[in-house]
Amino acid sequence: MLEVRGLVAGYGAVRALGGVDMSVAEGSVTAVLGANGAGKTTLLRTVSGLLRPRSGSVELDGRDLTRAPVEEIVRLGVAHVPQSGGVITELTVRDNLRLGGLWRRDRAGLARRVAEMYELFPPLAERRDRLAATLSGGERQMLALARALTGGPRLLLVDEPSLGLAPKVVASLMAVLRRLCDEDGRTVLLVEQNARSALSVADRAVVLDLGSVVASEPAATLAADDRLRHAYLGF
Ligand code: ATP
């Protein structure tokens, strides 16, 4: 579904990605792992059009997104949940959710998708009229994910959802990502420093080091590879 080829990207003199190749199959969870500064966030930002690559290409179903405007990339079904979520704390849970799907013309569809999010994340249903500022870290991350889903994306880019959350909360978020693939046929590209959690739900994993792919394997193969785990994944 997603084909990344020879992607080079950076910031000024910093070359954050040095020619990354990667494929993501439809309906799968692909984890992007690696240490701080490996280029994981840069990869997501380049796929969603927030950062233009210096060279290389990003294709979705054979369509070149490399120079497409961000709004077109969103319309084609790509949603990006940034690190720390980016929910709007001054708005209620409900309004945050509505915002995620506001760009779609189909209003009845939006109401239906918001209702589906309350089913998927019951704590959000209980807190729908509260300001997002009152939510816990885990609830905010749920809201960020749910907001992206109200746009009905096919490809969800999720940047370190586990950051700062308790293990139990992380486990339930990971389970939701798995369900989105298994039950709804969505595709997830999951950036994580928490390699163990990410590998527990991923089908495949790509390991980045200093902007290059050092491994691309089925998740179970990577989890069983002591050398790679010790060298790059910290467990
Ligand atoms: P982290 O887990 O810390 O977010 P990461 O793997 O996501 O790490 P990136 O954030 O993609 O890594 O960073 C890759 C490289 O680009 C690093 O050397 C980083 O310092 C640099 N970098 C990232 N953002 C910027 C920026 N806005 N300006 C300059 N350099 C940047």
Side-chain angles (χ1 to χ4, degrees), residues 29-33 198-199 202-207 213 215-220 222 233:
V29 177
T30 300
V32 179
L33 309 174
L199 288 173
D203 298 291
R204 287 192 71 82
V206 172
V207 181
V213 175
S216 174
E217 312 267 2
L222 192 64
L233 307 180

Side-chain angles (χ1 to χ4, degrees), residues 2 41-42 45 58 92 102 128 140 169 175 207 214-215 217 225:
L2 181 73
T41 296
T42 303
R45 300 186 74 227
V58 177
T92 61
L102 216 52
R128 65 184 80 184
R140 276 191 208 195
V169 180
V207 181
V214 292
E217 312 267 2
D225 186 327

Side-chain angles (χ1 to χ4, degrees), residues 149-227:
L149 289 169
T150 55
R154 297 174 52 223
L155 173 63
L156 197 61
L157 312 173
V158 192
D159 200 347
E160 292 210 31
S162 78
L163 205 68
L165 301 181
K168 247 169 99 174
V169 180
V170 173
S172 76
L173 278 174
M174 294 293 156
V176 167
L177 294 178
R178 188 69 249 170
R179 276 175 60 195
L180 291 173
C181 291
D182 294 343
E183 292 172 20
D184 302 345
R186 293 185 213 279
T187 307
V188 175
L189 190 55
L190 167 67
V191 159
E192 263 299 341
Q193 282 212 40
N194 186 340
R196 205 192 285 266
S197 296
L199 288 173
S200 72
V201 291
D203 298 291
R204 287 192 71 82
V206 172
V207 181
L208 288 182
D209 184 44
L210 299 175
S212 295
V213 175
V214 292
S216 174
E217 312 267 2
T221 309
L222 192 64
D225 186 327
D226 289 345
R227 189 189 66 81

Side-chain angles (χ1 to χ4, degrees), residues 7 9-10 35-36 64 110 116 151 158 168 173 221 223 234:
L7 207 61
N36 257 324
D64 189 7
L110 175 58
E116 283 167 8
V158 192
K168 247 169 99 174
L173 278 174
T221 309

